[in-house]
Amino acid sequence: MFFKSFTDYLLLEKNYSALTVKAYQNDLDVFSAFIISEYQESSINQVNYAQIRTWIVSLVDSGMSNRSINRKVSALNTYYKFLLKTETIETNPLIKHKALKTSKKIQIPFSETEVALVLDPSNFEDGFEGIRNKLIIELFYSTGIRRIELIELKMVSFNLHNKTLKVLGKRNKERIIPLLESVISTLHVYLKAREKLEHITDSDYLFLTQKGVKIYETLVYRIINDYFSKASTKVKKSPHILRHSFATHLLNQGADLNAVKELLGHSSLAATQVYTHNSIAELKKVHVNAHPRSKK
């Protein structure tokens, strides 16, 4: 099937992660099912924009957010660009498509006080899960890694001699992140607790459940949400907000934007600049409090 050539292209040439490729595949499968159902077309390779537009309208009517719809259409557009590249089609039916308007989401980071409250040792229960959860939160906050990057960490990802962590990010791009002494200390405690698990199935992976299998996305989200619910009244409490807090707090303390970009694994500076609105607010506060003419 032609989808297979496309997914190989995404994996091998575009260097997309397996998770992203799976999402693209799902989007193509959903669109393909729609085209078969509505138009009795056996292939999506020769559809026109009017047919795609009908699909988009159906997604809007289903209550799906414009942001999610744009992501699906983007996957479809990437597929048609691939067909053009391989000379399978002559024109891209999405060539003149304009993305649906989306509202700009303002991500509100946790405060330094909230993070400190969560990381109080008294918040973590004794035993394997408490130690593991503490390490997860410390790693998110001290390295800014993404949820999927944390889940995919291996036992060999850490270099304790150099005090660094090797992370495999988007498009299989590796980056090295320095580790704080406090994180290394918690890691040693966790590894000792991990050794005592009765059954370990996914031995290569760092973070496991009590049953010895690799942790999963909903569990990681639940851990962050549960612990931060004790210290924060913010509506959204997720691994991404903790990543956002990492970047914001570094910038508030005067970190170089390019350095934060490298730590986060962003491919462009523009992606990192979304985190600067909070640091600008902090700079304004410092400026007003410190400038000799601010009191006049």
Side-chain angles (χ1 to χ4, degrees), residues 81-262:
K81 285 179 179 178
F82 168 71
L83 295 186
L84 273 175
K85 187 175 182 178
T86 56
E87 300 182 348
T88 307
I89 60 175
E90 293 181 359
T91 57
N92 181 350
L94 282 166
I95 189 70
K96 293 183 178 180
H97 174 74
K98 291 183 179 179
L100 302 179
K101 289 184 179 179
T102 58
S103 57
K104 225 173 187 179
K105 287 185 176 180
I106 298 176
Q107 303 282 4
I108 303 174
F110 299 119
S111 68
E112 291 181 36
T113 301
E114 287 172 332
V115 176
L117 285 171
V118 169
L119 286 173
D120 187 300
S122 64
N123 283 330
F124 300 94
E125 59 272 27
D126 294 332
F128 172 77
E129 290 187 345
I131 297 167
R132 178 201 63 195
N133 296 349
K134 185 173 188 290
L135 179 58
I136 284 174
I137 295 171
E138 284 190 350
L139 264 180
F140 272 135
Y141 183 58
S142 65
T143 65
I145 60 177
R146 300 175 178 92
R147 174 167 52 174
I148 190 62
E149 291 171 346
L150 180 131
I151 290 169
E152 295 298 325
L153 286 177
K154 304 285 183 65
M155 293 291 285
V156 295
S157 298
F158 291 88
N159 186 324
L160 295 180
H161 177 71
N162 292 332
K163 299 177 182 178
T164 57
L165 171 68
K166 184 187 290 185
V167 177
L168 187 63
K170 288 184 175 180
R171 302 192 180 187
N172 293 323
K173 185 180 177 182
E174 283 188 350
R175 67 186 188 278
I176 305 295
I177 305 175
L179 291 173
L180 300 176
E181 288 290 350
S182 58
V183 176
I184 293 173
S185 176
T186 305
L187 174 62
H188 282 303
V189 176
Y190 169 73
L191 291 176
K192 287 180 182 178
R194 186 183 181 279
E195 286 176 1
K196 296 176 183 176
L197 290 176
E198 288 188 21
H199 303 287
I200 296 180
T201 304
D202 297 322
S203 58
D204 289 344
Y205 291 91
L206 176 70
F207 287 113
L208 305 175
T209 68
Q210 189 81 52
K211 295 180 179 178
V213 298
K214 185 174 74 165
I215 56 170
Y216 46 95
E217 290 200 31
T218 52
L219 173 59
V220 176
Y221 177 86
R222 191 163 67 242
I223 288 168
I224 301 304
N225 187 67
D226 287 351
Y227 281 93
F228 276 87
S229 291
K230 301 171 186 175
S232 176
T233 57
K234 290 180 174 64
V235 175
K236 192 167 184 181
K237 297 176 276 287
S238 68
H240 183 72
I241 297 300
L242 201 44
R243 173 174 161 87
H244 186 42
S245 305
F246 161 81
T248 302
H249 295 173
L250 281 180
L251 291 167
N252 285 348
Q253 296 297 325
D256 178 71
L257 189 62
N258 275 300
V260 176
K261 166 186 170 289
E262 293 303 316

Side-chain angles (χ1 to χ4, degrees), residues 246-296:
F246 161 81
T248 302
H249 295 173
L250 281 180
L251 291 167
N252 285 348
Q253 296 297 325
D256 178 71
L257 189 62
N258 275 300
V260 176
K261 166 186 170 289
E262 293 303 316
L263 289 169
L264 291 171
H266 285 158
S267 56
S268 71
L269 201 58
T272 313
Q273 285 172 329
V274 300
Y275 297 106
T276 61
H277 73 276
N278 291 292
S279 60
I280 289 169
E282 187 69 19
L283 284 173
K284 285 180 178 177
K285 193 195 306 179
V286 170
H287 182 261
V288 168
N289 290 336
H291 198 280
R293 296 199 51 87
S294 65
K295 304 296 188 293
K296 294 183 179 181

Side-chain angles (χ1 to χ4, degrees), residues 44-60:
I44 65 172
N45 291 7
Q46 301 299 329
V47 299
N48 56 50
Y49 181 66
Q51 292 171 317
I52 297 174
R53 183 71 185 170
T54 303
W55 178 57
I56 294 171
V57 170
S58 75
L59 295 177
V60 172

